[in-house]
Amino acid sequence: MDLRPLARTGVKVSPLCLGAMMFGPIGNDNRADAVRIIHAALDAGINFIDTADTYSKGVSEEIVGEALQGRRDDVVLATKFYSAMDKDPNHRGGSRRWIMREVEDSLRRLGTDHIDLYQMHRPDPDTDIEETLGALTDLVRQGKVRYIGTSSFSGSQIVEAQWVSKERRLERFVTEQPPYSLLVRGIETDVLPTLLRHGMTSLVYSPLSGGWLSGKWGKDNPPQPASKGRPAFRFDMANPANQRKLEMVDDLSALAADLGITLTELAIAFVIRHPGVTSAIIGPRTMEQLETVLPAVNVELSDETLDRIDEIVAPGLTVSLADHSYGEQELKPERRRR
């Protein structure tokens, strides 16, 4: 695979990033099989792996660490902090207290002495961003972390963090991890342009929109709401937005067929075409799923094809608001003005 610059860090990463969320009890609980999938991805040219402390409560990090024994130096390794690891209210969030403890746990589980990209999994409305950036800056200076990033930050939150970094002379976030797909295009209106203005980039998650763009479903074969690891509300066929998605999926499938490629290949080729996207996170649970995704890096989409996509799903449109991850904290009832 041709490697791409990770923002302005000088680091080069593959256009596909192996997401490890499905390794562990939440997805594939066969550790040996998960390790084989990771090795196959590395052998195929992927040099970028993303996980998080909260994925299967640390098991995903353990599996990644096992798989990278003897191969750690060849991989750009990313993980995340923020989400609750247990019921203790202090074992979560963006506080210095929690970051300094949890980074040690992630390093131990990953079996490494440093994390290449340490990301804040969600904005923390209860913690000053200067507090978080101060702790992360110390980790960079200690050599435990190389670069820092965010996930699901809005445009205004990205700008605020950049301002604080400059004013307080702290490390700056260099990446953002948002949801992005043919059906979830909201970040095109603000987040992606903001990243480009600030010299940042993105590694986007859910490029297949949680399975909607895998080619398995359509109007004649809608997904079932109840499935392991799949939020039912995102697949509720009583939701008019999901009915619209089924219609769009059929149209996109027809477009892919006209191009002689699969819908999966079309979906991934689309997201990695955007100049604000460095890498698309793929999250295979099986070897077959990995092999289905890999050919997408060789697909080139013409401007004519992109125009046809825009006719099906308008630029900047997120078809169902249930599919985006912005405003999760701000829109909670206790935070809304009533």
Side-chain angles (χ1 to χ4, degrees), residues 165-184:
S165 293
K166 181 178 180 180
E167 290 296 309
R168 300 293 185 262
R169 298 184 179 182
L170 300 171
E171 287 291 318
R172 60 189 291 268
F173 293 126
V174 298
T175 62
E176 157 64 10
Q177 187 177 141
Y180 188 39
S181 73
L182 287 165
L183 299 175
V184 183

Side-chain angles (χ1 to χ4, degrees), residues 148-329:
I148 59 174
T150 58
S151 179
S152 297
F153 271 46
S154 67
S156 65
Q157 290 166 332
I158 292 168
V159 172
E160 179 188 8
Q162 292 291 312
W163 182 88
V164 170
S165 293
K166 181 178 180 180
E167 290 296 309
R168 300 293 185 262
R169 298 184 179 182
L170 300 171
E171 287 291 318
R172 60 189 291 268
F173 293 126
V174 298
T175 62
E176 157 64 10
Q177 187 177 141
Y180 188 39
S181 73
L182 287 165
L183 299 175
V184 183
R185 300 183 61 177
I187 64 171
E188 294 174 346
T189 63
D190 185 28
V191 171
L192 289 177
T194 299
L195 296 178
L196 289 170
R197 286 198 303 272
H198 288 275
M200 300 173 64
T201 192
S202 65
L203 48 154
V204 299
Y205 71 84
S206 200
L208 298 182
S209 201
W212 281 90
L213 298 169
S214 65
K216 296 184 296 184
W217 305 321
K219 286 188 294 185
D220 296 330
N221 183 34
Q224 299 301 311
S227 178
K228 183 179 181 181
R230 194 192 303 159
F233 65 88
R234 292 182 180 174
F235 297 85
D236 181 3
M237 290 301 108
N239 182 347
N242 287 335
Q243 292 293 336
R244 289 182 63 198
K245 284 161 62 175
L246 285 179
E247 295 173 1
M248 292 174 174
V249 165
D250 281 351
D251 291 341
L252 291 167
S253 296
L255 172 58
D258 289 345
L259 298 172
I261 60 177
T262 67
L263 178 57
T264 292
E265 292 167 356
L266 176 69
I268 293 175
F270 170 79
V271 299
I272 61 177
R273 169 73 183 266
H274 196 287
V277 175
T278 288
S279 193
I281 299 174
I282 57 170
R285 182 173 48 82
T286 66
M287 189 71 75
E288 180 184 5
Q289 290 174 350
L290 173 66
E291 293 170 347
T292 299
V293 170
L294 291 175
V297 296
N298 298 317
V299 174
E300 296 287 341
L301 301 181
S302 67
D303 290 343
E304 178 184 3
T305 297
L306 294 175
D307 289 341
R308 291 179 65 184
I309 290 172
D310 290 347
E311 292 172 359
I312 299 171
V313 186
L317 174 66
T318 292
V319 183
S320 173
L321 293 181
D323 293 330
H324 78 78
S325 57
Y326 294 96
E328 291 175 335
Q329 295 286 353

Side-chain angles (χ1 to χ4, degrees), residues 50-182:
D50 174 77
T51 184
D53 57 357
T54 192
Y55 295 163
S56 292
K57 297 302 181 185
V59 175
S60 172
E61 288 186 326
E62 292 174 356
I63 291 172
V64 170
E66 179 181 345
L68 293 186
Q69 291 181 17
R71 306 185 71 165
R72 173 67 183 91
D73 291 342
D74 300 327
V75 172
V76 177
L77 180 58
T79 192
K80 298 182 283 290
F81 69 93
Y82 168 79
S83 299
M85 293 298 285
D86 54 41
K87 294 182 179 180
D88 189 318
N90 288 318
H91 293 174
R92 67 196 72 185
S95 70
R96 170 179 289 272
R97 184 179 188 274
W98 175 239
I99 291 171
M100 291 303 188
R101 168 176 167 171
E102 187 58 2
V103 72
E104 298 295 341
D105 287 341
S106 285
L107 289 169
R108 173 180 50 78
R109 289 188 292 258
L110 290 165
T112 185
D113 63 356
H114 72 280
I115 295 164
D116 294 303
L117 179 63
Y118 201 36
Q119 303 157 99
M120 188 172 184
H121 211 154
R122 291 291 187 272
D124 185 352
D126 298 320
T127 305
D128 193 319
I129 193 63
E130 184 176 351
E131 164 92 359
T132 301
L133 285 167
L136 293 173
T137 296
D138 287 345
L139 292 180
V140 171
R141 292 172 181 172
Q142 293 167 11
K144 295 178 180 179
V145 169
R146 298 292 189 257
Y147 308 102
I148 59 174
T150 58
S151 179
S152 297
F153 271 46
S154 67
S156 65
Q157 290 166 332
I158 292 168
V159 172
E160 179 188 8
Q162 292 291 312
W163 182 88
V164 170
S165 293
K166 181 178 180 180
E167 290 296 309
R168 300 293 185 262
R169 298 184 179 182
L170 300 171
E171 287 291 318
R172 60 189 291 268
F173 293 126
V174 298
T175 62
E176 157 64 10
Q177 187 177 141
Y180 188 39
S181 73
L182 287 165

Side-chain angles (χ1 to χ4, degrees), residues 28-39 63 66-67 287:
N28 186 344
D29 203 18
N30 184 324
R31 290 198 179 210
D33 190 43
V35 168
R36 283 192 293 270
I37 294 170
I38 294 172
H39 288 170
I63 291 172
E66 179 181 345
M287 189 71 75

